[in-house]
Amino acid sequence: MKADEVRIESVCGVNIMEAEDHVPDPARFSDDAAACIVSVKGLKENWQKWSDEHREYQKHNPFSQDTRPGAAVPQRGRDGYGRPPQGSVTEQRGKDAHTHVSREVEELCQVIRNIGQPGDKDGDGRGGDGTVVIVEFGKLFERYVTISNKLVGILLRARKQGLVDFEGEMLWQRKDDHALITLLQ
């Protein structure tokens, strides 16, 4: 008997192996008995198909141990390094996130303009020539927390873009409530 000619029949949890030409008709079983006839050849073909697909996938996976020349390995310094493929869903998600954060930075600047006081570039509040707008972190936090829970992150992004300035690396609620935030534009 060949391996591809064998069938496994499961009736009430008991497996019976029979030759393919001697397989009983599943209709003879009652509805209560679970009848499952599986071809070993079919199992083998399904496994081989999965194996071939996985091998092909690994050829294009830069993190696999596949060292064949067909493997795409990103090179530092080249265009596209560290970026998702153009037109991919990942690239679109990144663009959407960038747009969302940009909108939040603009909204933060508008809130600072609305609640802040005109000041000078020194940030001390004296002799306000109106070139900048200054607000205390505590006052901004109380107002902005109803808009977004990401105030400090958005402030850091705005500082990186050169829109605001404040002392220190990070601002903490209560500890830095009197720290001055300067809107530069």
Side-chain angles (χ1 to χ4, degrees):
M1 180 183 312
K2 296 180 185 174
D4 60 349
E5 294 179 343
V6 176
R7 288 188 180 243
I8 300 173
E9 182 177 330
S10 178
V11 179
C12 298
V14 178
N15 293 333
I16 304 168
M17 293 184 72
E18 297 185 22
E20 199 169 84
D21 57 348
H22 187 355
V23 174
D25 183 18
R28 74 181 173 127
F29 298 108
S30 67
D31 291 339
D32 297 337
C36 176
I37 300 176
V38 179
S39 167
V40 173
K41 183 178 182 181
L43 288 173
K44 178 184 167 193
E45 288 172 355
N46 284 342
W47 177 259
Q48 190 61 47
K49 179 182 173 192
W50 177 86
S51 176
D52 292 342
E53 288 173 357
H54 184 70
R55 190 175 299 122
E56 189 62 33
Y57 171 78
Q58 288 298 88
K59 284 182 184 178
H60 301 290
N61 182 356
F63 303 106
S64 73
Q65 299 300 322
D66 193 350
T67 58
R68 286 177 248 169
V73 180
Q75 299 294 322
R76 223 175 247 241
R78 286 194 173 177
D79 290 340
Y81 179 78
R83 302 249 182 225
Q86 286 188 345
S88 68
V89 176
T90 304
E91 181 189 36
Q92 186 59 44
R93 280 191 206 114
K95 287 178 180 178
D96 293 346
H98 180 73
T99 303
H100 178 74
V101 170
S102 296
R103 264 190 259 121
E104 284 205 28
V105 167
E106 289 175 16
E107 190 172 1
L108 172 67
C109 292
Q110 187 61 42
V111 169
I112 293 173
R113 273 189 210 93
N114 292 341
I115 65 172
Q117 303 296 323
D120 56 4
K121 294 259 184 197
D122 298 333
D124 58 8
R126 291 174 296 181
D129 56 5
T131 58
V132 295
V133 176
I134 298 171
V135 67
E136 286 185 345
F137 176 67
K139 184 177 178 183
L140 178 62
F141 187 88
E142 289 301 318
R143 180 70 172 280
Y144 196 78
V145 76
T146 61
I147 298 169
S148 174
N149 60 353
K150 302 178 257 332
L151 173 62
V152 175
I154 299 298
L155 276 171
L156 292 172
R157 176 64 68 101
R159 179 167 69 175
K160 186 176 181 181
Q161 294 176 3
L163 300 173
V164 300
D165 191 34
F166 54 88
E167 287 190 29
E169 290 294 315
M170 182 71 70
L171 295 173
W172 303 96
Q173 186 182 9
R174 293 187 195 92
K175 178 184 171 226
D176 294 317
D177 280 353
H178 298 290
L180 296 177
I181 298 171
T182 306
L183 180 63
L184 300 174
Q185 294 186 357

